[in-house]
Amino acid sequence: MSELLAIENVTSGYGESVVLDDVSLRVNEGGSLALLGRNGVGKTTLLITLMGLTRLHGGTLRWRGEDLARLSTHERARAGIGWVPQERSVFPSLTVEEHLTAVARPGPWTIERVYAMFPSLASRRRNFGGQLSGGEQQMLAIGRALMVNPSLLLLDEPMEGLAPLVIQELRGIILDLIATAQTAVIIVEQHAKLALALTENALILDRGRVVHQSTSAQLLADPATLHRFVAVA
Amino acid sequence: MPDDVATRPVRLPDDRWHPLEIVFWLGLVTAFFLFPGYRVLGSQILITGLFAVSLDLILGYAGIVSLGHAAFFGVGAYTAGLLAVYGWGEPITGLFAGAATAAIVGYGTSFLVVRGHDLARLMMTLGIGFLLFEAANKAAFVTGGVDGLSGVVMWKLFGVFTFDFAGRTAYLYSLAVLFILFVVLRRVVASPFGLSLIGIRERSRRIPAIGAPLRQREVAIFTISAAVAGMAGALLAQTTQFVGLDVLSFSRSAEVLIILILGGAGRLYGGLIGAVVYMVAQDILSTYISAAYWRFWIGLLLVAIVLVAHGGILDGATAIYRRLTRGRS
């Protein structure tokens, strides 16, 4: 598999402050990575850095061999990075269908395909974003990101605050996404075991630095490391 | 999928024309025949309504606040007025010239406006409004200054219809321009571009992350809004055959903001309904109650509307309409 994203020795943060310190990682086309670690270690900052919303103090970001850092946020989205932020950012006064059509870009993901993947969205297509449940908002945020037809999907704690049944459903959907292998996925998750079961590779951050990197299967079989750096749920 | 009234979005306009919309437009046509003595007032209501719709594009959709929208109205008015004074009194081309100059000024100033946040935008638009007002005041040799621009002579519309004092041509011309522009803008706000504007209003920081260039979209809608405001100004200049310095005044900027909020922002129709209610109320109050203190009653009306339905008349009416239709089904 060819390289999609490569982060090399990246140091970034907000203004003068540094949150990420000398972080390197690689994601292949269609690959999947679980980004783990305790609260406040820089997982979300890493995703935000990929979107160009932090200050990059040093290091390089490569996207299919090109320099990603010189692209603005909307250009990165159009180049194929789909970000599903933790707070979901659903628009209260757009309908489900409007969320999807407003951002649509040509590619394999169409509105029909998103509805096929999320039947509960299809049945609520005329409802406003503000009328949806937490699980539906999460699905809508993912569906909206897919409509931009990303090559890499950044999922920031997609399961947070959702009911167990909804987590089950979403888990199946993310597994599906990774299995079809058209879209690479980076998933930030507090439920470490859940994320590891879904992904191919894993990376643990601690205080802004990479402290562990392996396949997800290896990390699952290494409870000592998990206990040391991740709150295991 | 069956249309369930309870779950259907109530935001107007969506893709299909609602029966009430058709009633609304037929009502404007009917008013022409029902109130022949009020056609001049009627045409000014239509023009003010168009001006309020232009403000709705930036305020109600993209969430860009402005206290100086009269700048673009005034630029359009002076463009059309000056063209006619200097020998080109053809209405339709004058209208487009007014829109074009307002769009140019709007595009140029948009970069100053969109870069800031709400308070900075208020100050910036206010400042731009003052600048243009004083510039027109000082350039009396062109604009007529405080005396206004007189000598505006309009040619017949399509070479057939004279602009008469009874406001017959003025009303129908204003209504036609308003309707055509409205149909176009209705499409614009329902398009992905228009939807992204609502996204900008609600989660502006997240908009670039879903592939929409925030600043470019804000500049685009600000320019379109300025062009529409310019057309409204041009309509006023042409139908009254006069341009007063007040077209650029702060009170006109404030008034259009009041009208839009009174009617309800973010639905295109709010500006039109606000203009009808505000100007009819103003006419009745100043004629029958007190010419001097009509603002007292307008103030009372505003306070009442905000208390009862803070989304404006349109929001309050929608709530009542939904309750009625739900009761029926």
PDB file of all heavy atoms in Angstrom, chain A residues 73-74 77-78 83 87 89-95 98 101-103 126 128, chain B residues 3 7 9 11 195 198-199 201-203 206 208-213 217:
ATOM      1  N   THR A  73      -7.078  25.384   5.435  1.00  0.00           N
ATOM      2  CA  THR A  73      -7.975  24.358   5.981  1.00  0.00           C
ATOM      3  C   THR A  73      -8.955  23.836   4.939  1.00  0.00           C
ATOM      4  O   THR A  73      -9.125  22.623   4.781  1.00  0.00           O
ATOM      5  CB  THR A  73      -8.745  24.941   7.183  1.00  0.00           C
ATOM      6  OG1 THR A  73      -7.797  25.345   8.161  1.00  0.00           O
ATOM      7  CG2 THR A  73      -9.671  23.904   7.788  1.00  0.00           C
ATOM      8  N   HIS A  74      -9.608  24.742   4.199  1.00  0.00           N
ATOM      9  CA  HIS A  74     -10.622  24.244   3.255  1.00  0.00           C
ATOM     10  C   HIS A  74      -9.969  23.498   2.086  1.00  0.00           C
ATOM     11  O   HIS A  74     -10.559  22.589   1.525  1.00  0.00           O
ATOM     12  CB  HIS A  74     -11.555  25.359   2.789  1.00  0.00           C
ATOM     13  CG  HIS A  74     -10.995  26.255   1.735  1.00  0.00           C
ATOM     14  ND1 HIS A  74     -10.355  27.418   2.019  1.00  0.00           N
ATOM     15  CD2 HIS A  74     -10.987  26.134   0.384  1.00  0.00           C
ATOM     16  CE1 HIS A  74      -9.966  27.992   0.894  1.00  0.00           C
ATOM     17  NE2 HIS A  74     -10.330  27.244  -0.105  1.00  0.00           N
ATOM     18  N   ALA A  77      -9.431  20.005   3.296  1.00  0.00           N
ATOM     19  CA  ALA A  77     -10.687  19.252   3.245  1.00  0.00           C
ATOM     20  C   ALA A  77     -10.953  18.797   1.814  1.00  0.00           C
ATOM     21  O   ALA A  77     -11.321  17.653   1.567  1.00  0.00           O
ATOM     22  CB  ALA A  77     -11.830  20.116   3.765  1.00  0.00           C
ATOM     23  N   ARG A  78     -10.730  19.698   0.863  1.00  0.00           N
ATOM     24  CA  ARG A  78     -10.982  19.346  -0.531  1.00  0.00           C
ATOM     25  C   ARG A  78      -9.959  18.358  -1.069  1.00  0.00           C
ATOM     26  O   ARG A  78     -10.244  17.581  -1.974  1.00  0.00           O
ATOM     27  CB  ARG A  78     -10.977  20.610  -1.393  1.00  0.00           C
ATOM     28  CG  ARG A  78     -12.189  21.462  -1.123  1.00  0.00           C
ATOM     29  CD  ARG A  78     -12.157  22.736  -1.909  1.00  0.00           C
ATOM     30  NE  ARG A  78     -13.406  23.471  -1.702  1.00  0.00           N
ATOM     31  CZ  ARG A  78     -13.785  24.485  -2.457  1.00  0.00           C
ATOM     32  NH1 ARG A  78     -13.033  24.879  -3.467  1.00  0.00           N
ATOM     33  NH2 ARG A  78     -14.923  25.089  -2.216  1.00  0.00           N
ATOM     34  N   TRP A  83     -12.776  15.621   8.533  1.00  0.00           N
ATOM     35  CA  TRP A  83     -12.618  15.702   9.976  1.00  0.00           C
ATOM     36  C   TRP A  83     -13.991  15.637  10.635  1.00  0.00           C
ATOM     37  O   TRP A  83     -14.888  16.405  10.300  1.00  0.00           O
ATOM     38  CB  TRP A  83     -11.916  17.016  10.326  1.00  0.00           C
ATOM     39  CG  TRP A  83     -11.746  17.295  11.789  1.00  0.00           C
ATOM     40  CD1 TRP A  83     -11.510  16.397  12.783  1.00  0.00           C
ATOM     41  CD2 TRP A  83     -11.802  18.577  12.419  1.00  0.00           C
ATOM     42  NE1 TRP A  83     -11.390  17.033  13.992  1.00  0.00           N
ATOM     43  CE2 TRP A  83     -11.568  18.371  13.807  1.00  0.00           C
ATOM     44  CE3 TRP A  83     -12.008  19.880  11.955  1.00  0.00           C
ATOM     45  CZ2 TRP A  83     -11.552  19.417  14.715  1.00  0.00           C
ATOM     46  CZ3 TRP A  83     -11.981  20.912  12.855  1.00  0.00           C
ATOM     47  CH2 TRP A  83     -11.753  20.689  14.225  1.00  0.00           C
ATOM     48  N   GLU A  87     -17.020  17.625  19.020  1.00  0.00           N
ATOM     49  CA  GLU A  87     -18.308  18.225  19.395  1.00  0.00           C
ATOM     50  C   GLU A  87     -19.320  18.117  18.254  1.00  0.00           C
ATOM     51  O   GLU A  87     -20.399  18.681  18.318  1.00  0.00           O
ATOM     52  CB  GLU A  87     -18.109  19.673  19.835  1.00  0.00           C
ATOM     53  CG  GLU A  87     -17.866  20.687  18.732  1.00  0.00           C
ATOM     54  CD  GLU A  87     -16.418  20.713  18.254  1.00  0.00           C
ATOM     55  OE1 GLU A  87     -15.653  19.813  18.660  1.00  0.00           O
ATOM     56  OE2 GLU A  87     -16.074  21.594  17.463  1.00  0.00           O
ATOM     57  N   SER A  89     -20.321  19.418  15.730  1.00  0.00           N
ATOM     58  CA  SER A  89     -20.560  20.608  14.911  1.00  0.00           C
ATOM     59  C   SER A  89     -21.677  20.452  13.899  1.00  0.00           C
ATOM     60  O   SER A  89     -21.556  20.824  12.747  1.00  0.00           O
ATOM     61  CB  SER A  89     -19.281  21.000  14.165  1.00  0.00           C
ATOM     62  OG  SER A  89     -18.345  21.499  15.058  1.00  0.00           O
ATOM     63  N   VAL A  90     -22.782  19.873  14.353  1.00  0.00           N
ATOM     64  CA  VAL A  90     -23.956  19.794  13.496  1.00  0.00           C
ATOM     65  C   VAL A  90     -24.623  21.174  13.477  1.00  0.00           C
ATOM     66  O   VAL A  90     -24.622  21.878  14.486  1.00  0.00           O
ATOM     67  CB  VAL A  90     -24.894  18.700  14.040  1.00  0.00           C
ATOM     68  CG1 VAL A  90     -26.294  18.854  13.540  1.00  0.00           C
ATOM     69  CG2 VAL A  90     -24.324  17.333  13.709  1.00  0.00           C
ATOM     70  N   PHE A  91     -25.141  21.580  12.313  1.00  0.00           N
ATOM     71  CA  PHE A  91     -25.799  22.888  12.222  1.00  0.00           C
ATOM     72  C   PHE A  91     -27.249  22.769  12.701  1.00  0.00           C
ATOM     73  O   PHE A  91     -28.026  22.031  12.102  1.00  0.00           O
ATOM     74  CB  PHE A  91     -25.779  23.414  10.789  1.00  0.00           C
ATOM     75  CG  PHE A  91     -24.403  23.432  10.179  1.00  0.00           C
ATOM     76  CD1 PHE A  91     -24.130  22.724   9.027  1.00  0.00           C
ATOM     77  CD2 PHE A  91     -23.380  24.153  10.766  1.00  0.00           C
ATOM     78  CE1 PHE A  91     -22.864  22.728   8.469  1.00  0.00           C
ATOM     79  CE2 PHE A  91     -22.109  24.164  10.212  1.00  0.00           C
ATOM     80  CZ  PHE A  91     -21.853  23.453   9.068  1.00  0.00           C
ATOM     81  N   PRO A  92     -27.628  23.509  13.742  1.00  0.00           N
ATOM     82  CA  PRO A  92     -28.981  23.337  14.299  1.00  0.00           C
ATOM     83  C   PRO A  92     -30.104  23.612  13.300  1.00  0.00           C
ATOM     84  O   PRO A  92     -31.130  22.963  13.349  1.00  0.00           O
ATOM     85  CB  PRO A  92     -29.022  24.351  15.441  1.00  0.00           C
ATOM     86  CG  PRO A  92     -27.598  24.653  15.758  1.00  0.00           C
ATOM     87  CD  PRO A  92     -26.814  24.458  14.507  1.00  0.00           C
ATOM     88  N   SER A  93     -29.910  24.572  12.391  1.00  0.00           N
ATOM     89  CA  SER A  93     -31.057  24.906  11.538  1.00  0.00           C
ATOM     90  C   SER A  93     -30.898  24.473  10.087  1.00  0.00           C
ATOM     91  O   SER A  93     -31.530  25.030   9.201  1.00  0.00           O
ATOM     92  CB  SER A  93     -31.416  26.387  11.654  1.00  0.00           C
ATOM     93  OG  SER A  93     -30.330  27.185  11.329  1.00  0.00           O
ATOM     94  N   LEU A  94     -30.062  23.470   9.853  1.00  0.00           N
ATOM     95  CA  LEU A  94     -30.095  22.812   8.538  1.00  0.00           C
ATOM     96  C   LEU A  94     -30.686  21.424   8.747  1.00  0.00           C
ATOM     97  O   LEU A  94     -30.449  20.789   9.776  1.00  0.00           O
ATOM     98  CB  LEU A  94     -28.688  22.673   7.952  1.00  0.00           C
ATOM     99  CG  LEU A  94     -27.972  23.931   7.456  1.00  0.00           C
ATOM    100  CD1 LEU A  94     -26.660  23.551   6.778  1.00  0.00           C
ATOM    101  CD2 LEU A  94     -28.833  24.720   6.496  1.00  0.00           C
ATOM    102  N   THR A  95     -31.433  20.945   7.742  1.00  0.00           N
ATOM    103  CA  THR A  95     -31.965  19.595   7.847  1.00  0.00           C
ATOM    104  C   THR A  95     -30.839  18.598   7.573  1.00  0.00           C
ATOM    105  O   THR A  95     -29.774  18.974   7.069  1.00  0.00           O
ATOM    106  CB  THR A  95     -33.086  19.347   6.830  1.00  0.00           C
ATOM    107  OG1 THR A  95     -32.534  19.462   5.520  1.00  0.00           O
ATOM    108  CG2 THR A  95     -34.225  20.337   6.993  1.00  0.00           C
ATOM    109  N   GLU A  98     -29.939  18.695   4.023  1.00  0.00           N
ATOM    110  CA  GLU A  98     -29.195  19.906   3.668  1.00  0.00           C
ATOM    111  C   GLU A  98     -27.734  19.836   4.126  1.00  0.00           C
ATOM    112  O   GLU A  98     -26.841  20.333   3.441  1.00  0.00           O
ATOM    113  CB  GLU A  98     -29.884  21.140   4.259  1.00  0.00           C
ATOM    114  CG  GLU A  98     -31.166  21.496   3.530  1.00  0.00           C
ATOM    115  CD  GLU A  98     -32.000  22.554   4.248  1.00  0.00           C
ATOM    116  OE1 GLU A  98     -31.795  22.744   5.470  1.00  0.00           O
ATOM    117  OE2 GLU A  98     -32.845  23.166   3.607  1.00  0.00           O
ATOM    118  N   THR A 101     -26.137  17.740   1.319  1.00  0.00           N
ATOM    119  CA  THR A 101     -26.015  18.352  -0.008  1.00  0.00           C
ATOM    120  C   THR A 101     -25.123  19.587   0.023  1.00  0.00           C
ATOM    121  O   THR A 101     -24.475  19.909  -0.963  1.00  0.00           O
ATOM    122  CB  THR A 101     -27.391  18.748  -0.575  1.00  0.00           C
ATOM    123  OG1 THR A 101     -28.053  19.555   0.390  1.00  0.00           O
ATOM    124  CG2 THR A 101     -28.233  17.533  -0.870  1.00  0.00           C
ATOM    125  N   ALA A 102     -25.081  20.276   1.161  1.00  0.00           N
ATOM    126  CA  ALA A 102     -24.326  21.529   1.221  1.00  0.00           C
ATOM    127  C   ALA A 102     -22.830  21.311   0.984  1.00  0.00           C
ATOM    128  O   ALA A 102     -22.147  22.196   0.496  1.00  0.00           O
ATOM    129  CB  ALA A 102     -24.539  22.221   2.566  1.00  0.00           C
ATOM    130  N   VAL A 103     -22.327  20.121   1.335  1.00  0.00           N
ATOM    131  CA  VAL A 103     -20.880  19.928   1.266  1.00  0.00           C
ATOM    132  C   VAL A 103     -20.460  18.951   0.168  1.00  0.00           C
ATOM    133  O   VAL A 103     -19.273  18.717  -0.035  1.00  0.00           O
ATOM    134  CB  VAL A 103     -20.332  19.395   2.618  1.00  0.00           C
ATOM    135  CG1 VAL A 103     -20.647  20.370   3.732  1.00  0.00           C
ATOM    136  CG2 VAL A 103     -20.883  18.026   2.940  1.00  0.00           C
ATOM    137  N   ARG A 126     -35.575  15.019   6.848  1.00  0.00           N
ATOM    138  CA  ARG A 126     -36.196  16.348   6.883  1.00  0.00           C
ATOM    139  C   ARG A 126     -36.115  17.002   8.253  1.00  0.00           C
ATOM    140  O   ARG A 126     -36.647  18.083   8.471  1.00  0.00           O
ATOM    141  CB  ARG A 126     -37.658  16.251   6.453  1.00  0.00           C
ATOM    142  CG  ARG A 126     -37.796  15.999   4.978  1.00  0.00           C
ATOM    143  CD  ARG A 126     -39.217  15.599   4.639  1.00  0.00           C
ATOM    144  NE  ARG A 126     -39.361  15.461   3.206  1.00  0.00           N
ATOM    145  CZ  ARG A 126     -39.535  16.473   2.384  1.00  0.00           C
ATOM    146  NH1 ARG A 126     -39.610  17.705   2.838  1.00  0.00           N
ATOM    147  NH2 ARG A 126     -39.650  16.269   1.086  1.00  0.00           N
ATOM    148  N   PHE A 128     -34.269  18.854  11.457  1.00  0.00           N
ATOM    149  CA  PHE A 128     -33.160  19.790  11.641  1.00  0.00           C
ATOM    150  C   PHE A 128     -32.080  19.168  12.515  1.00  0.00           C
ATOM    151  O   PHE A 128     -32.371  18.305  13.363  1.00  0.00           O
ATOM    152  CB  PHE A 128     -33.657  21.070  12.302  1.00  0.00           C
ATOM    153  CG  PHE A 128     -34.489  21.921  11.395  1.00  0.00           C
ATOM    154  CD1 PHE A 128     -35.861  21.989  11.545  1.00  0.00           C
ATOM    155  CD2 PHE A 128     -33.891  22.634  10.374  1.00  0.00           C
ATOM    156  CE1 PHE A 128     -36.635  22.766  10.695  1.00  0.00           C
ATOM    157  CE2 PHE A 128     -34.646  23.415   9.528  1.00  0.00           C
ATOM    158  CZ  PHE A 128     -36.024  23.482   9.681  1.00  0.00           C
TER     159      PHE A 128
ATOM    160  N   ASP B   3     -45.202  13.106   3.256  1.00  0.00           N
ATOM    161  CA  ASP B   3     -44.858  14.379   3.880  1.00  0.00           C
ATOM    162  C   ASP B   3     -45.580  14.522   5.204  1.00  0.00           C
ATOM    163  O   ASP B   3     -46.794  14.687   5.247  1.00  0.00           O
ATOM    164  CB  ASP B   3     -45.269  15.530   2.953  1.00  0.00           C
ATOM    165  CG  ASP B   3     -44.066  16.036   2.201  1.00  0.00           C
ATOM    166  OD1 ASP B   3     -42.939  15.667   2.575  1.00  0.00           O
ATOM    167  OD2 ASP B   3     -44.253  16.804   1.241  1.00  0.00           O
ATOM    168  N   THR B   7     -42.933  17.036  10.836  1.00  0.00           N
ATOM    169  CA  THR B   7     -41.481  16.931  10.732  1.00  0.00           C
ATOM    170  C   THR B   7     -40.928  17.767   9.589  1.00  0.00           C
ATOM    171  O   THR B   7     -39.729  17.895   9.445  1.00  0.00           O
ATOM    172  CB  THR B   7     -41.051  15.471  10.488  1.00  0.00           C
ATOM    173  OG1 THR B   7     -41.629  15.031   9.270  1.00  0.00           O
ATOM    174  CG2 THR B   7     -41.477  14.577  11.623  1.00  0.00           C
ATOM    175  N   PRO B   9     -39.551  20.770   7.584  1.00  0.00           N
ATOM    176  CA  PRO B   9     -38.968  22.028   8.057  1.00  0.00           C
ATOM    177  C   PRO B   9     -39.877  23.204   7.741  1.00  0.00           C
ATOM    178  O   PRO B   9     -40.508  23.246   6.699  1.00  0.00           O
ATOM    179  CB  PRO B   9     -37.657  22.136   7.282  1.00  0.00           C
ATOM    180  CG  PRO B   9     -37.691  21.095   6.237  1.00  0.00           C
ATOM    181  CD  PRO B   9     -38.704  20.090   6.615  1.00  0.00           C
ATOM    182  N   ARG B  11     -38.740  26.263   7.718  1.00  0.00           N
ATOM    183  CA  ARG B  11     -37.971  27.389   7.180  1.00  0.00           C
ATOM    184  C   ARG B  11     -38.381  27.633   5.735  1.00  0.00           C
ATOM    185  O   ARG B  11     -38.482  26.713   4.944  1.00  0.00           O
ATOM    186  CB  ARG B  11     -36.478  27.080   7.238  1.00  0.00           C
ATOM    187  CG  ARG B  11     -35.652  28.316   6.932  1.00  0.00           C
ATOM    188  CD  ARG B  11     -34.188  28.011   6.917  1.00  0.00           C
ATOM    189  NE  ARG B  11     -33.863  27.047   5.904  1.00  0.00           N
ATOM    190  CZ  ARG B  11     -33.249  25.917   6.140  1.00  0.00           C
ATOM    191  NH1 ARG B  11     -32.877  25.616   7.342  1.00  0.00           N
ATOM    192  NH2 ARG B  11     -32.984  25.087   5.155  1.00  0.00           N
ATOM    193  N   LEU B 195     -26.800  27.193   1.685  1.00  0.00           N
ATOM    194  CA  LEU B 195     -26.796  26.371   2.902  1.00  0.00           C
ATOM    195  C   LEU B 195     -25.494  26.561   3.668  1.00  0.00           C
ATOM    196  O   LEU B 195     -25.484  26.603   4.899  1.00  0.00           O
ATOM    197  CB  LEU B 195     -26.976  24.895   2.542  1.00  0.00           C
ATOM    198  CG  LEU B 195     -28.315  24.543   1.882  1.00  0.00           C
ATOM    199  CD1 LEU B 195     -28.331  23.077   1.473  1.00  0.00           C
ATOM    200  CD2 LEU B 195     -29.471  24.845   2.815  1.00  0.00           C
ATOM    201  N   ILE B 198     -25.657  29.472   5.975  1.00  0.00           N
ATOM    202  CA  ILE B 198     -26.291  29.184   7.272  1.00  0.00           C
ATOM    203  C   ILE B 198     -25.276  28.490   8.173  1.00  0.00           C
ATOM    204  O   ILE B 198     -25.185  28.776   9.366  1.00  0.00           O
ATOM    205  CB  ILE B 198     -27.553  28.315   7.077  1.00  0.00           C
ATOM    206  CG1 ILE B 198     -28.570  29.092   6.261  1.00  0.00           C
ATOM    207  CG2 ILE B 198     -28.139  27.903   8.426  1.00  0.00           C
ATOM    208  CD1 ILE B 198     -29.819  28.317   5.925  1.00  0.00           C
ATOM    209  N   GLY B 199     -24.481  27.603   7.576  1.00  0.00           N
ATOM    210  CA  GLY B 199     -23.416  26.955   8.336  1.00  0.00           C
ATOM    211  C   GLY B 199     -22.431  27.973   8.878  1.00  0.00           C
ATOM    212  O   GLY B 199     -21.974  27.867  10.020  1.00  0.00           O
ATOM    213  N   ARG B 201     -23.092  31.017   9.657  1.00  0.00           N
ATOM    214  CA  ARG B 201     -23.740  31.723  10.765  1.00  0.00           C
ATOM    215  C   ARG B 201     -23.679  30.883  12.047  1.00  0.00           C
ATOM    216  O   ARG B 201     -23.438  31.392  13.125  1.00  0.00           O
ATOM    217  CB  ARG B 201     -25.197  32.002  10.395  1.00  0.00           C
ATOM    218  CG  ARG B 201     -25.933  32.863  11.414  1.00  0.00           C
ATOM    219  CD  ARG B 201     -27.398  32.977  11.039  1.00  0.00           C
ATOM    220  NE  ARG B 201     -28.104  31.738  11.309  1.00  0.00           N
ATOM    221  CZ  ARG B 201     -29.144  31.297  10.606  1.00  0.00           C
ATOM    222  NH1 ARG B 201     -29.579  31.971   9.570  1.00  0.00           N
ATOM    223  NH2 ARG B 201     -29.731  30.172  10.923  1.00  0.00           N
ATOM    224  N   GLU B 202     -23.857  29.579  11.886  1.00  0.00           N
ATOM    225  CA  GLU B 202     -24.008  28.743  13.078  1.00  0.00           C
ATOM    226  C   GLU B 202     -22.711  28.150  13.615  1.00  0.00           C
ATOM    227  O   GLU B 202     -22.579  27.911  14.797  1.00  0.00           O
ATOM    228  CB  GLU B 202     -25.018  27.630  12.792  1.00  0.00           C
ATOM    229  CG  GLU B 202     -26.388  28.225  12.538  1.00  0.00           C
ATOM    230  CD  GLU B 202     -27.489  27.200  12.507  1.00  0.00           C
ATOM    231  OE1 GLU B 202     -27.202  26.070  12.092  1.00  0.00           O
ATOM    232  OE2 GLU B 202     -28.611  27.533  12.900  1.00  0.00           O
ATOM    233  N   ARG B 203     -21.780  27.825  12.739  1.00  0.00           N
ATOM    234  CA  ARG B 203     -20.528  27.201  13.208  1.00  0.00           C
ATOM    235  C   ARG B 203     -19.388  27.713  12.349  1.00  0.00           C
ATOM    236  O   ARG B 203     -18.684  26.918  11.745  1.00  0.00           O
ATOM    237  CB  ARG B 203     -20.584  25.685  13.056  1.00  0.00           C
ATOM    238  CG  ARG B 203     -21.740  25.003  13.714  1.00  0.00           C
ATOM    239  CD  ARG B 203     -21.400  24.594  15.133  1.00  0.00           C
ATOM    240  NE  ARG B 203     -22.521  23.861  15.679  1.00  0.00           N
ATOM    241  CZ  ARG B 203     -22.723  23.659  16.961  1.00  0.00           C
ATOM    242  NH1 ARG B 203     -21.861  24.126  17.821  1.00  0.00           N
ATOM    243  NH2 ARG B 203     -23.756  22.997  17.376  1.00  0.00           N
ATOM    244  N   ARG B 206     -15.978  26.005  11.920  1.00  0.00           N
ATOM    245  CA  ARG B 206     -15.877  24.650  11.393  1.00  0.00           C
ATOM    246  C   ARG B 206     -16.099  24.574   9.880  1.00  0.00           C
ATOM    247  O   ARG B 206     -15.906  23.523   9.286  1.00  0.00           O
ATOM    248  CB  ARG B 206     -16.910  23.751  12.080  1.00  0.00           C
ATOM    249  CG  ARG B 206     -16.625  23.514  13.546  1.00  0.00           C
ATOM    250  CD  ARG B 206     -15.321  22.770  13.717  1.00  0.00           C
ATOM    251  NE  ARG B 206     -15.071  22.465  15.118  1.00  0.00           N
ATOM    252  CZ  ARG B 206     -13.961  22.803  15.764  1.00  0.00           C
ATOM    253  NH1 ARG B 206     -13.015  23.482  15.142  1.00  0.00           N
ATOM    254  NH2 ARG B 206     -13.790  22.468  17.019  1.00  0.00           N
ATOM    255  N   PRO B 208     -14.547  25.812   7.151  1.00  0.00           N
ATOM    256  CA  PRO B 208     -13.445  25.420   6.247  1.00  0.00           C
ATOM    257  C   PRO B 208     -13.153  23.925   6.326  1.00  0.00           C
ATOM    258  O   PRO B 208     -12.755  23.317   5.332  1.00  0.00           O
ATOM    259  CB  PRO B 208     -12.261  26.239   6.764  1.00  0.00           C
ATOM    260  CG  PRO B 208     -12.877  27.397   7.447  1.00  0.00           C
ATOM    261  CD  PRO B 208     -14.132  26.868   8.078  1.00  0.00           C
ATOM    262  N   ALA B 209     -13.362  23.312   7.488  1.00  0.00           N
ATOM    263  CA  ALA B 209     -13.029  21.907   7.662  1.00  0.00           C
ATOM    264  C   ALA B 209     -13.941  20.995   6.843  1.00  0.00           C
ATOM    265  O   ALA B 209     -13.635  19.823   6.661  1.00  0.00           O
ATOM    266  CB  ALA B 209     -13.088  21.520   9.135  1.00  0.00           C
ATOM    267  N   ILE B 210     -15.084  21.512   6.360  1.00  0.00           N
ATOM    268  CA  ILE B 210     -15.888  20.688   5.473  1.00  0.00           C
ATOM    269  C   ILE B 210     -15.783  21.188   4.037  1.00  0.00           C
ATOM    270  O   ILE B 210     -16.637  20.939   3.201  1.00  0.00           O
ATOM    271  CB  ILE B 210     -17.361  20.580   5.932  1.00  0.00           C
ATOM    272  CG1 ILE B 210     -17.935  21.958   6.198  1.00  0.00           C
ATOM    273  CG2 ILE B 210     -17.485  19.701   7.169  1.00  0.00           C
ATOM    274  CD1 ILE B 210     -19.405  21.926   6.563  1.00  0.00           C
ATOM    275  N   GLY B 211     -14.718  21.909   3.753  1.00  0.00           N
ATOM    276  CA  GLY B 211     -14.364  22.200   2.368  1.00  0.00           C
ATOM    277  C   GLY B 211     -14.874  23.515   1.816  1.00  0.00           C
ATOM    278  O   GLY B 211     -14.740  23.773   0.631  1.00  0.00           O
ATOM    279  N   ALA B 212     -15.474  24.362   2.656  1.00  0.00           N
ATOM    280  CA  ALA B 212     -15.968  25.640   2.160  1.00  0.00           C
ATOM    281  C   ALA B 212     -15.048  26.765   2.614  1.00  0.00           C
ATOM    282  O   ALA B 212     -14.791  26.899   3.795  1.00  0.00           O
ATOM    283  CB  ALA B 212     -17.388  25.890   2.670  1.00  0.00           C
ATOM    284  N   PRO B 213     -14.541  27.547   1.678  1.00  0.00           N
ATOM    285  CA  PRO B 213     -13.669  28.665   2.063  1.00  0.00           C
ATOM    286  C   PRO B 213     -14.477  29.774   2.719  1.00  0.00           C
ATOM    287  O   PRO B 213     -15.248  30.465   2.052  1.00  0.00           O
ATOM    288  CB  PRO B 213     -13.061  29.118   0.742  1.00  0.00           C
ATOM    289  CG  PRO B 213     -14.003  28.643  -0.309  1.00  0.00           C
ATOM    290  CD  PRO B 213     -14.713  27.445   0.228  1.00  0.00           C
ATOM    291  N   ARG B 217     -16.613  32.925   0.798  1.00  0.00           N
ATOM    292  CA  ARG B 217     -18.086  32.867   0.773  1.00  0.00           C
ATOM    293  C   ARG B 217     -18.666  34.131   1.379  1.00  0.00           C
ATOM    294  O   ARG B 217     -19.676  34.644   0.930  1.00  0.00           O
ATOM    295  CB  ARG B 217     -18.572  31.646   1.535  1.00  0.00           C
ATOM    296  CG  ARG B 217     -18.051  30.362   0.959  1.00  0.00           C
ATOM    297  CD  ARG B 217     -19.127  29.500   0.362  1.00  0.00           C
ATOM    298  NE  ARG B 217     -18.522  28.580  -0.579  1.00  0.00           N
ATOM    299  CZ  ARG B 217     -18.765  27.279  -0.626  1.00  0.00           C
ATOM    300  NH1 ARG B 217     -19.633  26.757   0.208  1.00  0.00           N
ATOM    301  NH2 ARG B 217     -18.191  26.519  -1.520  1.00  0.00           N
TER     302      ARG B 217
END
